[in-house]
Amino acid sequence: MAYDRIFNFSAGPSMLPVSVLEAARDDMLNYQGSGMSVMEMSHRSKVYDEIIKQAEALLREVMGIPQNYKVMFLQGGASLQFAMVPMNLLKTGKADYIVTGQFSGKAYQEAQKYGEINLAATTKPENFSRIPQQNELKLNPDADYVHICYNNTIFGTKWNYIPETGNVPLVADLSSCILSEPIDVSRFGLIYAGAQKNVAPAGLTIVIAREDLLREELPAFVPTMCNYSVMAQNESMYNTPPCYPIYVCKLVLDWIKGMGGLSAMQAHNQKKAAILYDYLDSSKLFKNPVSPESRSLMNVTFRAEDDEINARFVKETSANGMSNLKGHRSVGGMRASIYNAMPVEGVEKLVEFMKAFEK
Amino acid sequence: MAYDRIFNFSAGPSMLPVSVLEAARDDMLNYQGSGMSVMEMSHRSKVYDEIIKQAEALLREVMGIPQNYKVMFLQGGASLQFAMVPMNLLKTGKADYIVTGQFSGKAYQEAQKYGEINLAATTKPENFSRIPQQNELKLNPDADYVHICYNNTIFGTKWNYIPETGNVPLVADLSSCILSEPIDVSRFGLIYAGAQKNVAPAGLTIVIAREDLLREELPAFVPTMCNYSVMAQNESMYNTPPCYPIYVCKLVLDWIKGMGGLSAMQAHNQKKAAILYDYLDSSKLFKNPVSPESRSLMNVTFRAEDDEINARFVKETSANGMSNLKGHRSVGGMRASIYNAMPVEGVEKLVEFMKAFEK
C-alpha cells in the first residue's frame, strides 16, 4: 500500500481519503500561491473566506440542504451539543429523548439540566441491540423536540427509518453517519455531527438547523458561544472558527462529490457492510449481536464467545496492518468502523483474515 | 524565501515556524511509521496518547508550570472562556474585571450573565492607549477573582507588570502573548489562551488552572463540557479533543525548546519589537499611539494621520510580500503582529519599506 499505510478501523477519529491527505500535505507550506499555510491564515482574509464558503456550499450541495436551514461550523463536539440543543430549543421545557446507546444516553442525561425530559423509548433492556419501531415511541405531541442518535457507534445500530414526529421537530446526532448516504434533511429540525468520523479531523462540529427554530432570546445563563442564533448570524465567525478542520472538510466534500455524491457513497458503504455482515451471518465463530433491521452501515460489531479468542483476534489483526478492531470498553468484543474513507480492499482483507482465523 | 512564503503580519491565526510546517507535511500520510495521519488516529490510541502527553509535558517544562496546576486542552476559543471562567470560579458571585480593550470588554460583558461584576479599572476614556497602574485598580478584597487580558491584540498594549491582587486569584487571558516570554505562572489562579497566535492552528484553547480553584459542584445549568473539573479529571479526554492542533502545539513547543526556551523567545521578540518601535519613535509620518510603558511585544500599532496614506501603505506592503498589516476595523491604521514565528528579517523588511515609503 502506498506510504505504508494500514487499514484503520478506528471508530473516530478515523481514516481520511488518501487524496485528501495528499492535498493537505501539498498545500502545507504555501496554499495555492497565498504564501502561507491554511493554518496561518487570518479567518477574515479573502483567501480563507473562500475556503469556508466553499465548504458550506459543497455541504449544501452534497446533502441537499434546503435554503431555510442554517449551516454552522462549531467546536466542542457532540458532547457540547448535548447541552446546546436543550439550551436553545426548549421553550415549554419539555422534550422527548430516545435512548439507543451510550451517546444518546449522555444526551438524555445532559438535557435534564435544562428541562423536563421524557424517555420516549429505549432498548437498554435488550442491550441496545436494536432501534425501537415507530409504534414503540411514546411521544408527547407538545414536546419542544424529539432527540435521537441516528447511528450508534458503540453498539453498531442505525435508524433505518426516520421516525414520524408530527409537528414536533426531530433533532438528530449524525456524528457517525453524516455523509454516508443520502438523507432527507427536511425531515429534521436540527442535525449535528462531530466531524471526526466521516468529515474532517477532530475539533469541528457541524450543525444544520431549520432557521425558524433559532431564537435570539435565550435564558441569561446560556454562554454566547452556545447560542445558535449568534453563531448563525455571524456565519460561524463570531470568533475564530476551527479553520483547518473546516479546510479538510472542504477537501473531503470535494472528494465525495468527485466520487459521485452521497448515492455513490451509499453504494460503496453498502457493498463494504454486506461483505462483513454476509460473512458474519455464515460464521460459526463470530456473531453480530444486532437485529438485522437495525444494522449500522458504519460500525459493525462482532465477537466470539470466548474472550481470549477476541483478544487474540485483535492482537493478530493489529500485527497484520489492521488497527483499532477492539470493541468499545463498555461492550467488549470487536468493532470494525468502516466509514466512507475505508476502501473495499480493507474490508476484504479483514474478512479474508477472519475466515483464515476461524479455520 | 523558500516555498515562496510571505511575511504574514496577521493578528491571528498567524505564522507558524517553517520547521513545524515541514514536520506536519512530512508526517501527513504516515506519522512516524504508525501507518496513518495524526488526523486519523483514535484519541485513545497509544500513539496519540504519547503526543498529547508530550505536549503537556513540554508546556509544563517550557512555561515552568507548578505541579499544583492542571493543564487542559479545550475548544471554543477565549470567547467560551469568557463564560467558563465565571461559571466555574464564581462562589460569592462577585468578581473584578479590568477592561483594557475589546476582548477584556467582551469578557466583562459575558461575566455579567453570572454574577455581580465590578469594573475595577478601565482605560477606555484614553482609547485603551495604556494599561492602568496598580494604584488605579479598585479591587474588592472579597472578590472571587480578578480578570485581566494580559496583551491587547487590537490596541497593541500589554501589562508590563503582574498586578498584585492579595489573596484574590488573578485570571488572565494570554491568547496573544502566551509563550512569548517567561511568565511566573504561580502568580496566577488561572491562565487561558486561544492557541491560534503563538501556539497552534485555531481550534485549541489552553487552560492552566490552580487545582484548588476547580470545583466539582457547579450550578446545574453549566454544560458538562464547560466544567473545568470534569475536563481536568478526564485529562482533556472527556470527549475527543482537538487532536491535530494539539499535535501542532507539541511541534511548536519542540521548536521553542530547541530555540532556547522562553528567555530566548523573549530576546527574539524584544529585538523585533525594538526595530519597529525605534523606527516609529523617529518617524515623522507614522506614530504609535501607545504609552511607552504599556507597549506590546506582539502587536505593534501605527498610523499616518491621513487615512488615504494608511490605505496606500497597506496596499503596497501587500503587493510586496507583507500581508495583513491593516489595523483592526475598530481602530483603523496599521498593525504589525510579530508573534514568535515572525523572523527578524520580516520586521527588518517592513521597517525598510516604511522608511522608503516615508521618503
Side-chain angles (χ1 to χ4, degrees):
Chain A
M1 211 179 163
Y3 311 111
D4 281 326
R5 284 169 56 82
I6 62 177
F7 293 114
N8 174 11
F9 292 90
S10 169
S14 42
M15 287 185 86
L16 288 164
V18 168
S19 63
V20 165
L21 294 172
E22 287 173 332
R25 177 196 64 192
D26 295 344
D27 284 346
M28 186 57 84
L29 274 291
N30 186 344
Y31 173 79
Q32 300 186 3
S34 64
M36 61 184 83
S37 172
V38 175
M39 295 200 271
E40 304 175 295
M41 286 176 187
S42 166
H43 56 299
R44 304 209 185 270
S45 64
K46 212 168 154 182
V47 57
Y48 188 74
D49 194 59
E50 210 169 282
I51 292 172
I52 192 171
K53 290 266 169 36
Q54 279 179 14
E56 179 175 341
L58 279 163
L59 187 70
R60 286 185 175 277
E61 179 185 347
V62 164
M63 288 186 73
I65 300 171
Q67 277 303 314
N68 63 324
Y69 284 69
K70 295 284 189 191
V71 170
M72 291 166 256
F73 297 111
L74 306 181
Q75 298 184 59
S79 296
L80 187 56
Q81 295 307 309
F82 297 166
M84 280 179 71
V85 165
M87 287 196 293
N88 281 269
L89 300 191
L90 283 177
K91 283 187 287 192
T92 70
K94 290 180 184 177
D96 284 338
Y97 275 66
I98 301 169
V99 173
T100 54
Q102 183 166 310
F103 290 102
S104 50
K106 284 193 172 190
Y108 170 60
Q109 199 176 5
E110 187 82 356
Q112 290 172 45
K113 293 181 167 188
Y114 306 101
E116 197 181 312
I117 308 301
N118 172 44
L119 182 60
T122 181
T123 47
K124 193 174 180 188
E126 294 155 77
N127 202 26
F128 298 125
S129 60
R130 66 176 186 90
I131 297 297
Q133 292 177 352
Q134 179 77 43
N135 61 15
E136 296 176 84
L137 312 180
K138 296 193 171 44
L139 300 176
N140 169 8
D142 298 320
D144 290 326
Y145 63 89
V146 178
H147 181 281
I148 63 171
C149 179
Y150 206 66
N151 183 83
N152 298 280
T153 325
I154 294 175
F155 296 92
T157 60
K158 187 199 149 209
W159 288 76
N160 281 311
Y161 72 102
I162 298 177
E164 182 50 64
T165 58
N167 287 324
V168 180
L170 179 62
V171 173
D173 178 354
L174 259 68
S175 294
S176 51
C177 62
I178 190 169
L179 301 179
S180 64
E181 59 182 346
I183 191 164
D184 183 354
V185 174
S186 73
R187 298 281 306 274
F188 298 84
L190 187 146
I191 286 169
Y192 63 87
Q196 68 273 15
K197 297 162 196 288
N198 248 345
V199 191
L204 169 64
T205 315
I206 290 174
V207 176
I208 302 163
R210 220 175 64 207
E211 54 191 12
D212 62 287
L213 296 176
L214 306 184
R215 294 175 300 147
E216 282 184 48
E217 289 303 319
L218 297 180
F221 61 76
V222 178
T224 305
M225 284 294 293
C226 293
N227 184 320
Y228 289 135
S229 185
V230 171
M231 295 301 111
Q233 274 167 29
N234 287 278
E235 297 181 315
S236 307
M237 293 263 194
Y238 174 78
N239 71 344
T240 317
C243 299
Y244 199 73
I246 293 169
Y247 154 73
V248 178
C249 165
K250 182 197 99 66
L251 295 176
V252 168
L253 288 162
D254 276 334
W255 173 78
I256 290 175
K257 193 179 163 182
M259 296 281 283
L262 295 190
S263 301
M265 277 298 133
Q266 181 176 41
H268 168 66
N269 290 323
Q270 283 174 339
K271 181 175 176 185
K272 290 183 290 178
I275 294 170
L276 259 164
Y277 287 122
D278 286 352
Y279 164 66
L280 287 169
D281 287 342
S282 72
S283 171
K284 293 199 167 39
L285 178 64
F286 298 116
K287 297 287 169 208
N288 167 259
V290 173
S291 295
E293 82 285 1
S294 299
R295 284 174 168 177
S296 168
L297 273 183
M298 298 283 102
N299 313 96
V300 180
T301 58
F302 56 95
R303 64 190 307 159
E305 266 182 49
D306 184 343
D307 269 341
E308 268 178 50
I309 292 180
N310 292 323
R312 210 179 81 212
F313 181 82
V314 169
K315 204 174 160 185
E316 290 188 16
T317 46
S318 182
N320 281 278
M322 292 171 282
S323 76
N324 292 90
L325 280 159
K326 194 172 175 181
H328 190 269
R329 59 193 181 281
S330 63
V331 295
M334 276 79 76
R335 171 180 51 179
S337 293
I338 49 173
Y339 300 114
N340 286 351
M342 172 62 68
V344 174
E345 303 83 67
V347 178
E348 285 171 344
K349 181 174 175 177
L350 173 61
V351 170
E352 284 315 307
F353 190 90
M354 288 166 86
K355 284 180 184 166
F357 186 92
E358 183 166 358
K359 274 184 191 158
Chain B
M1 209 178 166
Y3 310 113
D4 282 326
R5 284 168 58 80
I6 62 177
F7 292 115
N8 172 12
F9 292 90
S10 169
S14 42
M15 285 184 87
L16 288 163
V18 168
S19 63
V20 165
L21 295 172
E22 286 173 332
R25 176 197 62 192
D26 295 345
D27 284 347
M28 186 57 83
L29 275 292
N30 186 345
Y31 173 79
Q32 300 187 2
S34 64
M36 60 183 84
S37 172
V38 175
M39 296 199 271
E40 303 174 296
M41 285 175 187
S42 166
H43 56 298
R44 305 209 184 270
S45 65
K46 212 169 155 182
V47 57
Y48 189 75
D49 194 58
E50 210 169 283
I51 293 173
I52 192 170
K53 290 268 170 30
Q54 280 180 13
E56 179 175 340
L58 279 164
L59 187 70
R60 286 185 175 277
E61 179 185 348
V62 164
M63 287 186 74
I65 300 172
Q67 279 301 316
N68 62 324
Y69 283 69
K70 294 285 189 189
V71 170
M72 292 167 254
F73 296 111
L74 307 180
Q75 298 184 58
S79 296
L80 187 56
Q81 295 307 308
F82 297 166
M84 281 178 71
V85 165
M87 286 195 295
N88 282 269
L89 300 191
L90 283 177
K91 284 187 284 192
T92 70
K94 289 181 184 178
D96 285 337
Y97 274 67
I98 301 171
V99 173
T100 54
Q102 183 166 311
F103 290 103
S104 50
K106 282 192 174 191
Y108 169 60
Q109 199 177 4
E110 187 82 355
Q112 289 172 46
K113 293 180 167 188
Y114 307 101
E116 197 181 311
I117 308 301
N118 172 43
L119 182 61
T122 180
T123 47
K124 191 173 181 190
E126 294 154 79
N127 201 25
F128 298 124
S129 60
R130 68 178 185 89
I131 297 296
Q133 293 177 352
Q134 179 77 45
N135 62 15
E136 296 176 85
L137 312 180
K138 297 193 171 43
L139 300 176
N140 169 10
D142 298 321
D144 291 327
Y145 63 90
V146 179
H147 181 280
I148 63 171
C149 179
Y150 206 65
N151 183 84
N152 298 280
T153 325
I154 293 175
F155 295 93
T157 61
K158 187 201 150 208
W159 287 77
N160 281 311
Y161 72 102
I162 298 178
E164 182 50 64
T165 58
N167 287 324
V168 180
L170 180 61
V171 174
D173 178 355
L174 258 68
S175 295
S176 52
C177 61
I178 189 168
L179 301 179
S180 65
E181 59 182 345
I183 190 162
D184 183 355
V185 174
S186 74
R187 298 281 306 275
F188 297 85
L190 187 146
I191 286 169
Y192 64 87
Q196 68 273 15
K197 297 163 196 287
N198 249 344
V199 192
L204 168 64
T205 314
I206 290 175
V207 176
I208 302 163
R210 220 175 65 207
E211 53 192 12
D212 63 287
L213 296 176
L214 306 184
R215 295 176 298 148
E216 281 185 50
E217 288 302 320
L218 296 181
F221 62 76
V222 177
T224 305
M225 284 293 294
C226 293
N227 184 321
Y228 288 136
S229 184
V230 172
M231 295 301 111
Q233 275 168 28
N234 287 278
E235 299 182 313
S236 308
M237 293 262 193
Y238 175 79
N239 72 342
T240 317
C243 300
Y244 199 73
I246 292 169
Y247 154 73
V248 178
C249 166
K250 183 198 99 66
L251 295 176
V252 168
L253 288 162
D254 276 333
W255 174 77
I256 291 175
K257 193 179 166 185
M259 295 283 282
L262 294 191
S263 301
M265 277 298 134
Q266 181 177 40
H268 168 65
N269 290 323
Q270 283 174 339
K271 182 175 175 184
K272 289 183 291 177
I275 294 170
L276 260 166
Y277 286 122
D278 286 352
Y279 165 65
L280 287 169
D281 288 341
S282 71
S283 171
K284 292 198 170 39
L285 179 63
F286 298 115
K287 298 286 169 207
N288 167 258
V290 173
S291 295
E293 81 284 0
S294 299
R295 283 173 167 177
S296 168
L297 273 182
M298 297 283 101
N299 313 97
V300 180
T301 58
F302 56 96
R303 63 190 308 159
E305 267 184 47
D306 184 342
D307 269 343
E308 267 177 48
I309 292 179
N310 292 324
R312 211 179 79 212
F313 180 83
V314 170
K315 204 173 160 185
E316 288 188 16
T317 45
S318 181
N320 281 279
M322 291 171 283
S323 76
N324 291 91
L325 280 159
K326 195 173 174 179
H328 189 270
R329 57 192 183 282
S330 63
V331 295
M334 277 79 76
R335 172 179 51 181
S337 293
I338 50 174
Y339 299 113
N340 286 351
M342 171 62 68
V344 175
E345 304 83 67
V347 178
E348 285 171 343
K349 181 174 175 178
L350 173 61
V351 169
E352 285 314 307
F353 190 89
M354 289 166 88
K355 284 179 184 167
F357 185 90
E358 184 167 357
K359 274 183 190 156

